[in-house]
Structure formats: C-alpha cells, structure tokens
Amino acid sequence: MKSPASASWKAPLKFRMPTAENLIPIRLDIEVDGQRYKDAFTWNPYDPDSEVVMFAKRTVKDLKLSPGFLPQIVQSIQSQLATFRSYEGQDMYVGDKIIPIKLDLQVNHIVIRDQFLWDLNNFDSDPEEFARTLCKDLGIEDPEVEPAIAFAIREQLYEIAIQNVTTARENRISKKGRRAAEHFTPSKASGAALDLMKLFSFGSSVVREGKLVLRESI
C-alpha cells in the first residue's frame, strides 16, 4: 500500500470515499413476477446517468430477466447514486482514524473471515489492490472472491464516511452553541487513535490484527 496522505486531524475535508478511486458500493435486490435478481458492484458516481440505463438494459438482456426489471434496476441505482451525491460538498471529519474492517464472506464454496486496521487518512488506499493481494497470498483462484472482498471493504468505508459527515455537522452545531473559549480535551478514544497512528506509522494503510480464517464450505 502507498504511504498515508497528509491530512490535518483538526480540519474537516469535503465528503468523498477515503480511497484512491471515488467508487461507491451499489446493492441490488429486486424481485419481479417470482424472479429475483441480486447483485453487488461498485460505480463511479461521476459517470453520466445514461450509463445506468445502458447497464440495466445489458443486465436484463444477458441474464434473460423479464422487462419489468429494467425500470427497477435503473431506479435502484439512481436512488443510491442520489444518496451519495446528497453528501457531496459537505464537511467530513476524518481525524487521525485507524478503523477496523471486518470480513465475513462466503463466495461459492469459499468462506473468508478476517479483520484488519485501515487508515482513513490514506486517500491513496486501494481496496481492489488489497483484495487482489489477499487472494494471491491465499492462493484463491475463484474470480468472484476478489471483487467480493473489495466490495465489502468499500461498503464499510462508505458507511464510515457518512458517519464522518454527521460528526462534522455535530461539531459545527456544538461550536455554535458554545461560543465561550474552551480548551479541547482529546477523548480517550481519539488518544488511542493517535497512539495507533504512531504505532503503525511505517507507510502502510492496512495492518492485520488477529488471524485470518479461510475454509472450504461444505
């Protein structure tokens, strides 16, 4: 992984995914006339909206889904993109945060359980690269496992990014309500995060803790 990008823990940033590519996780779970379509993938929120319609048409055709899936796929993707875009331009409080990412996945006959630490201040981090390296190290050849791992990481990072917007908003409200000069006292949690930053400041954005469990499901 590349070295963490410099960022001030006191200053909020503008909302974005804390990764090199600003890709967002999209989940689809649609049922029409007894047929069910489930999928999970990442999407570039800056692609033209026409790409959504093209994707939906191609999916319906390739999977031989009924025509009723087309508008629902388009609506679901556009709705999730609209949610992401609603946060754009808002302040996002990151701080010196190293957070745990947990994997608990079953893809076909492979089960992966793992936990590792991720540096939110490293905007050069790449979940796809991490997933590719992990699969290579474990000798996993199933092509569906790598994107599933990357998606799981991005989904958790996305949720945290949204939480960071809420934190920044609450901080602004708190400051407006307390105009009196008060000294900021770091919490134990933030102190622990700073200690982790010092402990793992060797140029990596990912640190594994605990043991990875990989097994073939029966």
Side-chain angles (χ1 to χ4, degrees):
M1 289 289 178
K2 299 178 183 178
S3 60
S6 60
S8 170
W9 70 276
K10 294 182 180 180
L13 305 171
K14 294 303 179 182
F15 174 78
R16 59 158 291 163
M17 287 288 290
T19 54
E21 290 189 272
N22 204 25
L23 302 176
I24 63 171
I26 299 289
R27 277 192 180 275
L28 299 178
D29 188 352
I30 301 169
E31 186 170 348
V32 177
D33 298 330
Q35 268 189 308
R36 191 174 185 183
Y37 167 56
K38 294 182 67 175
D39 202 357
F41 48 86
T42 57
W43 195 275
N44 186 337
Y46 306 119
D47 282 347
D49 289 342
S50 59
E51 292 289 332
V52 175
V53 178
M54 292 175 60
F55 171 83
K57 288 181 177 179
R58 188 165 56 247
T59 298
V60 169
K61 180 181 178 181
D62 292 347
L63 299 181
K64 295 180 173 56
L65 300 173
S66 68
F69 277 94
L70 179 58
Q72 293 206 37
I73 292 174
V74 171
Q75 190 277 331
S76 182
I77 296 175
Q78 288 180 337
S79 175
Q80 293 176 68
L81 290 174
T83 298
F84 174 85
R85 291 165 181 162
S86 70
Y87 291 103
E88 288 188 308
Q90 297 190 45
D91 286 341
M92 180 178 74
Y93 183 85
V94 178
D96 288 323
K97 282 192 176 181
I98 295 182
I99 52 95
I101 295 290
K102 298 180 180 181
L103 298 179
D104 189 356
L105 307 171
Q106 178 170 342
V107 183
N108 299 325
H109 299 295
I110 297 177
V111 175
I112 295 179
R113 293 190 179 95
D114 196 10
Q115 180 168 315
F116 43 87
L117 300 175
W118 197 279
D119 182 4
L120 290 182
N121 275 325
N122 183 2
F123 287 90
D124 289 329
S125 65
D126 188 339
E128 286 72 25
E129 179 185 348
F130 175 83
R132 189 160 46 250
T133 301
L134 180 62
C135 288
K136 182 178 179 180
D137 291 346
L138 295 176
I140 298 175
E141 298 181 352
D142 187 330
E144 295 183 19
V145 176
E146 181 183 315
I149 292 173
F151 182 89
I153 295 172
R154 283 194 177 276
E155 196 167 46
Q156 293 176 65
L157 293 177
Y158 182 37
E159 292 174 358
I160 292 167
I162 293 174
Q163 292 171 10
N164 289 341
V165 170
T166 302
T167 300
R169 187 183 300 125
E170 290 173 348
N171 284 349
R172 283 200 309 273
I173 294 173
S174 177
K175 288 179 181 178
K176 289 179 180 178
R178 287 198 318 261
R179 291 300 183 184
E182 294 181 355
H183 294 290
F184 174 73
T185 303
S187 67
K188 292 181 179 180
S190 63
L194 287 170
D195 290 342
L196 281 170
M197 280 293 290
K198 294 176 183 177
L199 182 61
F200 299 120
S201 59
F202 52 77
S204 174
S205 64
V206 180
V207 180
R208 174 164 290 115
E209 57 177 16
K211 295 182 179 179
L212 180 145
V213 178
L214 170 68
R215 66 180 175 84
E216 293 285 335
S217 63
I218 300 175

